[in-house]
Amino acid sequence: MSDETIIEIEESSSSLNMIIITAMVLFIIQLGFILVFKNILNDSDSSKKNVEKKKKKKNNNNNANGKNHKDIVMIDGYEHLYYKPETYDEEEIVEKSEEFYNQMNERRSVRFFSDKPVPYEVIENIIKTAGTSPSGANQQPWTFVVISDKDMKHQIRVAAEKEEQINYAGRMNDKWQKALEHLGTDANKEYIDVVPYLIVVFKKVHGIDDEGNKFPHYYYERSVGIASGLLIAAIHNAGLATLTHTPQPMGFLSKLLDRPENEKPYLLMPVGYPSDDCTVPNIFRKPLEEIMVTV
């Protein structure tokens, strides 16, 4: 083979390599444009979803707070809103009711907690949920005090255990203690130190206006009880656990938490994740035929 032929082959091979390299570069650039464009579309979709989510949340808040003026009507001199909640067909409503029952049937009162942190926003959301509760004359006679400070939690534990020791030493009679025996309760409340949050529910036995004058609250016991039930459901829905602790008497909570005289302690509730080795009593709920009467 002559030198000229060899040179021609080498030049041809070099040209072919350049064509291949150029094609590969163009393909990579094109692929890059496609990926960038796809990310832009995804970001746009995500942004639209977030905007819709915020808009829906805003609309829900406006409806709840009576700010959607086009739906306001005057009745006997007072503003009212047309109430149009989301509805479902017969199959969906049965399915949703069963799903919620099954979820709540997994709820248990817990006395063994983890110290795993819980986002504060979750605590805010569950208390906002409790605040949606109905109340007598819509007076909303409740205050939810959230405690995360370790020193305050320990002070509450010491005070609670002091009262419980008196309870178990004789303040609670034999029948009372016998009724609690299978639950394994005692005066030790270690979980108060361990759990990331305590929520103390206070009932407002009366209101105080801007001038310091008292005015009555109606049905405050029932109202705070209903709100506490919603709080328990919201805690469970968030994947957390709680316990309705009532260390009688509970006046020490008013003093430690510096609450006004019209607020009385109602429940002390630890809130957090169950510990890895958490156990609960093997007890059962009454069947439907024992708790429902049809007329």
Side-chain angles (χ1 to χ4, degrees), residues 189-205:
K189 308 301 175 186
E190 180 183 358
Y191 56 78
I192 293 178
D193 274 330
V194 175
V195 77
Y197 291 102
L198 298 175
I199 297 177
V200 180
V201 183
F202 284 86
K203 59 185 178 184
K204 293 184 176 180
V205 297

Side-chain angles (χ1 to χ4, degrees), residues 76-137:
D76 295 332
Y78 294 96
E79 291 184 350
H80 288 252
L81 299 171
Y82 286 111
Y83 181 54
K84 300 175 182 178
E86 186 176 2
T87 57
Y88 311 96
D89 61 35
E90 187 172 312
E91 184 178 346
E92 285 179 309
I93 198 170
V94 170
E95 182 180 341
K96 288 179 72 66
S97 64
E98 186 175 9
E99 285 177 354
F100 186 69
Y101 161 69
N102 289 331
Q103 180 186 10
M104 294 309 300
N105 197 36
E106 294 294 320
R107 187 206 60 78
R108 295 300 303 270
S109 295
V110 166
R111 293 174 174 82
F112 304 99
F113 287 88
S114 165
D115 62 356
K116 179 181 177 181
V118 172
Y120 185 69
E121 186 178 3
V122 174
I123 302 301
E124 290 182 322
N125 287 335
I126 62 178
I127 290 178
K128 284 193 294 185
T129 301
T132 68
S133 175
S135 61

